Amino acid sequence: DAGVIQSPRHEVTEMGQEVTLRCKPISGHDYLFWYRQTMMRGLELLIYFNNNVPIDDSGMPEDRFSAKMPNASFSTLKIQPSEPRDSAVYFCASSGQGTNTEAFFGQGTRLTVV
Amino acid sequence: QKEVEQNSGPLSVPEGAIASLNCTYSDRGSQSFFWYRQYSGKSPELIMSIYSNGDKEDGRFTAQLNKASQYVSLLIRDSQPSDSATYLCAVNRRSSTLGRLYFGRGTQLTVWP
C-alpha cells in the first residue's frame, strides 16, 4: 500500500491567494483527518470525516478554511484567502474501523504564505 | 484540563540508557492509545498501539497502560541516537467521538552518544 498521499509537498503563495491541499487516504480506511502543526500550537485537528461525511469541523480556524471529501479516495482542504498566519505544515491522516483504529499520516504539505 | 498531557521535556539520555516517556489523559472512556514518533521535518509515524491494561513489548519499545490511573507510558530500552525525535501520545475516544484522536504536545527526546 502506498500509504496516505498528500500533494503538494511544498506550497509558497502570496497573501490573499487561494490554496488547495489534496489528500488520498489509504484504501479501505473510513476516517480521514486534517491536522495543522506549528511550533506554537503543536498538532491541531482541523476537521475529520467518517465515510466521506464531515463529523467535527470545530477545529477549522475560520470561514476561510473549507474541506471536502467527494469520495472515499480523495479529500481537499482549501484556504481562501490565505494569510501569513496560515503558514504551517498540514497533515492528512486516515484510519479504519473496528479494532484497526491506528491513524497513518501522509508526508504533509508545508505551506508558506508570504 | 487538556485531553492528553505529556511530560514536556526535553528529555536527554545517554546511549544505552532507558528513556521513559509519560502521558496522562482526561477521559475515562478512552479505548485506544498510541505512541507516534516524529523526526524533525517529517510526519508522525506510528510506533506502538495498546488497548488493554498492562505492558506491550515490541523490540526495544514497551508501552504500558493503566486505565485506572489514566496513564500511558513508553519505555525505550538501549536508547540509540537514532531514537532522538519528538514522541507524541494519542488517545482515541471512539465511544463518544467516532474515532477522533487526541494528541499530546509531544516530548522531545535526545539520545547522546
Side-chain angles (χ1 to χ4, degrees):
Chain A
D1 197 321
V4 177
I5 299 173
Q6 291 186 246
S7 65
R9 292 292 304 278
H10 302 274
E11 177 80 35
V12 180
T13 191
E14 291 184 348
M15 182 174 62
Q17 296 298 306
E18 178 180 294
V19 176
T20 299
L21 310 181
R22 297 173 175 79
C23 175
K24 176 179 168 55
I26 292 172
S27 178
H29 278 188
D30 302 282
Y31 290 90
L32 184 140
F33 307 85
W34 282 101
Y35 289 92
R36 178 172 69 176
Q37 189 173 43
T38 61
M39 289 294 292
M40 290 294 294
R41 301 174 70 90
L43 196 62
E44 301 175 276
L45 178 66
L46 301 177
I47 185 171
Y48 76 100
F49 296 83
N50 179 218
N51 291 323
N52 313 338
V53 176
I55 301 300
D56 182 354
D57 65 355
S58 60
M60 298 285 262
E62 300 173 31
D63 290 346
R64 298 185 296 107
F65 286 70
S66 63
K68 294 182 180 180
M69 192 166 186
N71 57 63
S73 59
F74 184 67
S75 177
T76 59
L77 178 67
K78 185 177 294 186
I79 308 172
Q80 166 63 18
S82 57
E83 296 182 3
R85 59 195 169 117
D86 301 330
S87 298
V89 181
Y90 290 81
F91 289 108
C92 176
S94 69
S95 70
Q97 290 274 15
T99 59
N100 297 324
T101 61
E102 297 94 343
F104 296 91
F105 283 74
Q107 293 303 301
T109 296
R110 182 174 294 277
L111 174 64
T112 303
V113 184
V114 298
Chain B
Q1 183 184 8
K2 292 185 178 180
E3 294 283 346
V4 179
E5 299 207 48
Q6 298 183 237
N7 44 342
S8 58
L11 178 64
S12 181
V13 301
E15 184 175 357
I18 295 175
S20 177
L21 305 164
N22 304 315
C23 172
T24 58
Y25 58 93
S26 62
D27 182 16
R28 286 190 174 276
S30 300
Q31 299 182 356
S32 309
F33 308 86
F34 308 94
W35 284 99
Y36 286 80
R37 177 178 63 199
Q38 187 175 24
Y39 292 115
S40 180
K42 301 295 185 181
S43 60
E45 172 193 12
L46 179 68
I47 56 172
M48 288 288 283
S49 58
I50 187 166
Y51 302 98
S52 56
N53 279 330
D55 294 358
K56 179 181 177 182
E57 188 174 316
D58 183 359
R60 296 185 295 110
F61 298 95
T62 299
Q64 299 174 318
L65 173 61
N66 184 327
K67 290 186 177 181
S69 300
Q70 296 174 236
Y71 177 88
V72 190
S73 67
L74 180 70
L75 300 178
I76 306 174
R77 292 182 301 281
D78 188 23
S79 296
Q80 301 297 309
S82 58
D83 296 326
S84 298
T86 296
Y87 289 81
L88 300 164
C89 174
V91 173
N92 183 322
R93 300 191 308 170
R94 186 164 287 255
S95 61
S96 61
T97 51
L98 291 179
R100 178 192 170 150
L101 278 180
Y102 292 84
F103 279 86
R105 289 296 303 270
T107 299
Q108 185 177 349
L109 171 67
T110 300
V111 181
W112 44 276

